[in-house]
Amino acid sequence: AEFHRLSGYLPGADALVGLPGVEVLTTSATVIVDLALGHDALWARAEGRSRTSVRKARKLGYTATFRPAHPADLTDDAPFRTLYEGTMRRVDAAPYYLFAHAYYEALLTGAEVFLCEVHGPMGVAAAALFLPFGDLAHYHLSGSAPQAARDGANNLMIDEAMRGLMAQGRRALHLGGGVRAGDALFAFKRGFGGDVLPFRVARSVVDLDRCGLLLQRRAAQLGCTPDALTSSGYFPPYRATPPKPAAS
């Protein structure tokens, strides 16, 4: 079986739509900012609350920098790691969002990585990693101190990163979506004047017989029926876990 996440802004995804045996699903929405418009145009397109947050952060004395990330920026006790991991714990994120140090080492060796830091009265108050590739860039991981977030530091951070990426000649910044449809994270990202695109996945079963055999084995292993795994909606179904029974 094959599972693909389809980019909303890179060419080629539409080629899968309509192919025999390929099911394409729209699962959520994602935000991309057209940096080619320039900062003034994006500032005008941004929602009022986003502009207000940037102004608030600057008025309170926060400043931001955008530069290439170095190994020292991603050590266990570096400000970025402390802020990111603290944020993940604060929002009760799943454990797999807390990456081992080896992940960051691999990231630095396998990709171009930029760091945006917001500095406040107590030091680094917010930080995020950005991954450029060609004329595009992706907003990867970020974290902030609780008070700094209330002071608009995260908005200032994105604004500064957009300025830095524009100076490099990047034409688009992918901010991503939220955890759930229309949640606060999605609203935050949408506030910067970007465009909302569908986030789609494609899935297909290449070998029906083999898939059926693996599904039966998985069901026997878990002590449930194949239908229970299929109805879970997880793909491929032979890697699913049975849905939890409803509370009585």
Side-chain angles (χ1 to χ4, degrees):
E2 292 183 340
F3 179 86
H4 303 271
R5 292 179 176 88
L6 306 182
S7 170
Y9 58 93
L10 291 176
D14 288 339
L16 290 176
V17 179
L19 286 179
V22 178
E23 182 183 19
V24 177
L25 304 171
T26 298
T27 61
S28 59
T30 190
V31 177
I32 186 167
V33 180
D34 185 357
L35 300 178
L37 294 174
H39 188 270
D40 289 346
L42 286 173
W43 184 260
R45 291 181 61 176
E47 295 179 3
R49 57 184 175 80
S50 184
R51 295 195 298 265
T52 297
S53 293
V54 174
R55 294 191 188 102
K56 178 181 179 181
R58 288 182 176 144
K59 185 176 181 179
L60 292 173
Y62 290 92
T63 60
T65 58
F66 182 78
R67 59 175 176 79
H70 304 294
D73 296 319
L74 302 180
T75 58
D76 292 347
D77 57 352
F80 163 75
R81 290 279 300 276
T82 301
L83 290 166
Y84 170 71
E85 292 168 10
T87 299
M88 292 301 100
R89 293 187 177 96
R90 193 164 64 247
V91 301
D92 198 25
Y96 57 75
Y97 284 103
L98 298 175
F99 304 103
H101 183 64
Y103 172 80
Y104 295 101
E105 290 181 325
L107 196 64
L108 282 175
T109 58
E112 189 178 11
V113 183
F114 279 80
L115 174 69
C116 191
E117 289 182 325
V118 176
H119 304 265
M122 303 301 291
V124 180
L129 299 182
F130 293 82
L131 308 179
F133 183 80
D135 54 4
L136 304 174
H138 174 70
Y139 174 43
H140 188 38
L141 307 174
S142 71
S144 59
Q147 184 58 52
R150 292 189 287 270
D151 290 341
N154 289 322
N155 297 76
L156 176 61
M157 179 173 63
I158 299 295
D159 186 75
E160 182 66 24
M162 290 195 300
R163 292 175 184 270
L165 292 166
M166 289 178 200
Q168 296 174 359
R170 319 288 181 181
R171 68 174 179 83
L173 170 61
H174 179 236
L175 293 176
V179 178
R180 289 170 293 276
D183 64 7
L185 179 59
F186 181 80
F188 165 76
K189 293 176 179 179
R190 191 174 185 178
F192 292 93
D195 297 313
V196 178
L197 301 175
F199 179 74
R200 298 176 296 176
V201 298
R203 57 193 194 182
S204 62
V205 176
V206 180
D207 189 332
L208 288 171
D209 292 337
R210 183 67 175 167
C211 183
L213 178 61
L214 292 173
L215 178 60
Q216 291 176 13
R217 289 180 178 175
R218 179 66 170 168
Q221 180 186 31
L222 296 174
C224 64
T225 65
D227 286 344
L229 297 181
T230 302
S231 64
S232 71
Y234 192 90
F235 189 87
Y238 52 78
R239 292 184 179 174
T241 55
K244 295 180 179 179
S248 58

